Amino acid sequence: MTEQDPNSRSQSAARVIESPPSSRPEPGLDGFEHRFATIGGVRLHYVTGGKPDGEVLVLLAGFPESWFAWRKIMPMLSTTYRIIAPDLPGQGDSDRPMGGYDTQTLATTVHGLLEQLGIGRYSLVAHDVGAWVAYPYAALFGGEVRRLVLMDAGIPGITLPDALPTAPDRAWRTWHFAFHSLPDLPEMLIAGRELKYLDWFLRRKTANPETFSDADIAEYLRVFVKDGGMRAGLAYYRAAALSAQQNRELSAKGKLQMPVLALGSDQGSIADMATPLENFAEDVHGGVIANCGHFLAEEQPTAVAEELNAFLGGPPHD
């Protein structure tokens, strides 16, 4: 009986058989599909589609949302861009780890996803907590980011004021920053009332509450009540002080060099997104979407898509 070479046995066992990632079509968006990837032990969900050989556009959503926040503008951009819309750790259908909700860790995880996909050049579009993540991302991996779009967000340690407004006509827009950061109390008050909470949070912060259908609210409720969903959503705010410290250290190293579009809205949280960012980025372009609340991409998708196409179509940043 001939003895098998142990080296050949080892090589045979280690052989990788290539296969495409498992995916599921998104019924509401032709040409888009759901996929998963594991990055540093965290399984991330993302939706991808669009022009296969187009420039890559990465979309990062905020609280209490998911990739679903971009559903209205994705078809408008799909003929030009290859789109990747991940759920951040703790968001949507991604894992809800026990820690790692500071925005530098989140940014590093998203970067790991793009590395795994073999993508090294792209533009970032981000809203709310997604914009919290996009700032350190652009500071850490600026050589890869072609252009950056930040929408209706005060970024911890950068443009988020230490003292939030208390006047009644402004406080309702930002009261949740402090509330969400408290230990235990939000869970006690929200548990069992998740639908009422999300309904208020989403519809009160819009210019037109009919922006969100009952089916839209149901989708956001579905991911919010998943195991660990509330804990993870609150964790972004509970880590905000650490995120602010990290961002101050990053900003001390210099301004962002890529072009930045700062979009606010006339009835959102921060109308003038651009002026405060001029202290932290070299090339800031601003705009205010009219007749719009906090959720720009869902309230005024056509206006947002037109602004993105105009800005992202500019010459590349080198």
Side-chain angles (χ1 to χ4, degrees), residues 119-206:
I119 297 169
R121 191 73 166 149
Y122 40 86
S123 293
L124 280 180
V125 178
H127 171 248
D128 189 78
V129 168
W132 292 14
V133 176
Y135 172 80
Y137 192 110
L140 291 167
F141 309 111
E144 300 178 16
V145 179
R146 181 177 174 267
R147 288 180 172 242
L148 175 66
V149 181
L150 302 173
M151 298 197 297
D152 206 39
I155 299 169
I158 303 297
T159 58
L160 182 66
D162 289 331
L164 294 170
T166 57
D169 63 333
R170 297 292 302 167
W172 66 269
R173 303 174 194 267
T174 55
W175 65 274
H176 62 284
F177 285 82
F179 176 63
H180 287 174
S181 68
L182 295 172
D184 302 328
L185 182 62
E187 288 91 336
M188 286 190 291
L189 297 180
I190 297 171
R193 305 176 183 87
E194 291 90 349
L195 176 58
K196 290 182 180 297
Y197 186 71
L198 290 183
D199 189 277
W200 184 94
F201 203 94
L202 293 165
R203 287 181 166 142
R204 183 65 184 88
K205 286 175 172 284
T206 59

Side-chain angles (χ1 to χ4, degrees), residues 135-288:
Y135 172 80
Y137 192 110
L140 291 167
F141 309 111
E144 300 178 16
V145 179
R146 181 177 174 267
R147 288 180 172 242
L148 175 66
V149 181
L150 302 173
M151 298 197 297
D152 206 39
I155 299 169
I158 303 297
T159 58
L160 182 66
D162 289 331
L164 294 170
T166 57
D169 63 333
R170 297 292 302 167
W172 66 269
R173 303 174 194 267
T174 55
W175 65 274
H176 62 284
F177 285 82
F179 176 63
H180 287 174
S181 68
L182 295 172
D184 302 328
L185 182 62
E187 288 91 336
M188 286 190 291
L189 297 180
I190 297 171
R193 305 176 183 87
E194 291 90 349
L195 176 58
K196 290 182 180 297
Y197 186 71
L198 290 183
D199 189 277
W200 184 94
F201 203 94
L202 293 165
R203 287 181 166 142
R204 183 65 184 88
K205 286 175 172 284
T206 59
N208 179 355
E210 294 180 358
T211 293
F212 293 104
S213 69
D214 289 346
D216 297 336
I217 301 290
E219 169 59 15
Y220 288 129
L221 178 65
R222 178 187 72 82
V223 294
F224 191 69
V225 299
K226 289 181 73 171
D227 289 345
M230 188 193 310
R231 168 185 56 78
L234 298 172
Y236 304 124
Y237 297 87
R238 289 168 176 166
L242 174 57
S243 300
Q245 177 186 332
Q246 294 168 343
N247 286 342
R248 284 190 287 267
E249 292 171 359
L250 288 172
S251 68
K253 297 177 182 179
K255 294 184 176 183
L256 300 180
Q257 296 300 303
M258 74 289 297
V260 177
L261 174 62
L263 283 181
S265 56
D266 62 353
Q267 298 172 56
S269 300
I270 302 175
D272 182 6
M273 282 281 295
T275 301
L277 280 167
E278 290 174 353
N279 294 319
F280 303 96
E282 288 287 358
D283 183 12
V284 180
H285 307 251
V288 179

